Amino acid sequence: MDSKRETVEGNHYMMDVPNPSGKAIDYVLFDPNYTVLKSVTFDKPKQEWHAQALRAPNMLDRYEALVAMRSQSLTDKKETLGKMFKKEKFHVMKEEILSQLSSDTSYQSQFMILEGIKDKDASVRAAAMQDMARIPVYAKTAFEDRLDDSSYSIIEAALVKLCANFPENKSQYLQKTDKLYGLDNSLRITWLQLSWQKPDDKIANELIDYTSTAFDFRTRYTAFKALEALNYLDIKSTMSILDATLSWNGRLANPAKEALQYFYKQMDKKDLIDN
């Protein structure tokens, strides 16, 4: 390794790093570890990016190379991504690797995504699950294990994907997660949405109750979105949405107005709102 420090002067500046022994260049860095505030375009051959991604000492330099590899074909980068996934510890690096491999159906890539679902870091588990829209049979158990996850958001994501991919086991998944509520009741509202059968049952009443002023704005917002997804509106939920449109809190008022506009386009619900 060799390095050189110089002061950049003027609009154009040539920096020469000598290589007297004529050694092959693995990769070149300008401002290692991003210590200077700047905007830089640095074009490099593919293999230089790969070498930098695998061997640069600083995480920021490896991440720069990893992001630059987004535009490369899977064929060109798959081997390098596999090597990186085994070595990297930082969750942001693993998430980016999984994202770039998400469209690959090969055994190697799918195995890495499966490993990501079991990762000790919750953000890596979430990224791996998000990238797998369709759950293959071999990954079913890994997703079912996530119903006991320490993260409510991961339980919620696993529940939605499992119910969509294995509807024959839906009642089993719902029973397992029946007593979980999650942050701002998000998991519970998703559970109610998945359990929805008819407008006048206990489940519908509980979901509509979450739209009321008895709950915080995040809970109410999530409940509004669930009603939109179910395309259901009654007198109580209409009053709650109208109340929310008058809130001083824009994070509640704006989603409420959007929900109102959505329902107002439907004749039967328009009449309900007008009344």
Side-chain angles (χ1 to χ4, degrees):
M1 182 169 65
D2 196 7
S3 63
K4 190 173 184 181
R5 173 174 289 195
E6 294 190 21
T7 300
V8 176
E9 299 174 347
N11 293 329
H12 302 277
Y13 188 83
M14 181 71 72
M15 182 182 295
D16 181 44
V17 181
N19 183 17
S21 56
K23 291 183 178 181
I25 304 300
D26 198 25
Y27 64 91
V28 180
L29 294 175
F30 176 75
D31 183 28
N33 207 28
Y34 281 75
T35 59
V36 178
L37 183 64
K38 65 190 182 304
S39 177
V40 171
T41 300
F42 196 163
D43 295 324
K44 305 179 188 181
K46 291 179 182 178
Q47 292 310 312
E48 254 194 70
W49 286 123
H50 289 211
Q52 180 177 326
L54 286 169
R55 292 185 281 278
N58 298 307
M59 187 276 293
L60 285 176
D61 297 323
R62 297 197 303 276
Y63 184 71
E64 176 197 31
L66 183 57
V67 171
M69 290 163 60
R70 287 176 182 172
S71 59
Q72 298 179 15
S73 69
L74 272 169
T75 304
D76 289 338
K77 65 185 178 182
K78 187 162 59 174
E79 183 180 353
T80 299
L81 292 176
K83 291 177 181 178
M84 290 185 70
F85 191 78
K86 292 178 181 178
K87 292 174 56 178
E88 291 294 343
K89 304 298 181 185
F90 190 48
H91 69 91
V92 172
M93 300 291 285
K94 286 187 171 183
E95 290 168 34
E96 178 62 30
I97 293 168
L98 291 172
S99 176
Q100 293 192 32
L101 289 172
S102 61
S103 62
D104 186 30
T105 57
S106 70
Y107 171 79
Q108 294 85 350
S109 295
Q110 293 299 305
F111 179 79
M112 274 187 274
I113 294 174
L114 191 59
E115 287 296 297
I117 295 172
K118 304 174 185 177
D119 196 87
K120 64 180 181 179
D121 194 296
S123 61
V124 176
R125 297 197 300 274
M129 290 173 61
Q130 179 180 347
D131 292 334
M132 192 176 283
R134 178 182 169 275
I135 304 176
V137 175
Y138 67 81
K140 180 182 176 185
T141 301
F143 270 83
E144 289 175 340
D145 289 344
R146 298 282 66 80
L147 295 179
D148 292 313
D149 202 273
S150 58
S151 166
Y152 285 126
S153 61
I154 289 177
I155 295 174
E156 184 177 346
L159 179 61
V160 171
K161 288 179 180 290
L162 284 167
C163 288
N165 282 267
F166 306 103
E168 66 277 11
N169 297 332
K170 183 176 181 179
S171 59
Q172 172 190 331
Y173 301 140
L174 291 172
Q175 184 178 1
K176 186 176 180 64
T177 54
D178 185 12
K179 305 301 179 183
L180 301 177
Y181 286 77
L183 185 64
D184 301 316
N185 299 295
S186 177
L187 174 54
R188 182 61 178 177
I189 292 171
T190 295
W191 187 95
L192 292 168
Q193 188 176 339
L194 291 169
S195 304
W196 183 277
Q197 293 179 356
K198 55 183 180 179
D200 58 347
D201 63 7
K202 182 180 178 181
I203 289 173
N205 290 333
E206 183 180 350
L207 176 57
I208 293 163
D209 193 44
Y210 282 124
T211 67
S212 72
T213 56
F215 294 92
D216 64 281
F217 79 89
R218 291 184 181 89
T219 296
R220 297 180 71 188
Y221 162 81
T222 306
F224 294 159
K225 290 299 180 185
L227 288 177
E228 283 187 48
L230 294 166
N231 198 31
Y232 178 77
L233 192 69
D234 65 2
I235 294 175
K236 185 175 180 180
S237 54
T238 301
M239 294 298 291
S240 295
I241 294 173
L242 287 167
D243 170 84
T245 63
L246 303 175
S247 172
W248 59 270
N249 186 347
R251 288 180 290 177
L252 174 62
N254 291 332
K257 292 172 184 175
E258 291 173 3
L260 203 63
Q261 290 168 357
Y262 169 80
F263 287 120
Y264 204 70
K265 294 176 183 177
Q266 303 174 52
M267 187 58 65
D268 58 331
K269 298 177 179 64
K270 177 181 183 298
D271 293 338
L272 176 61
I273 296 168
D274 286 339
N275 289 335

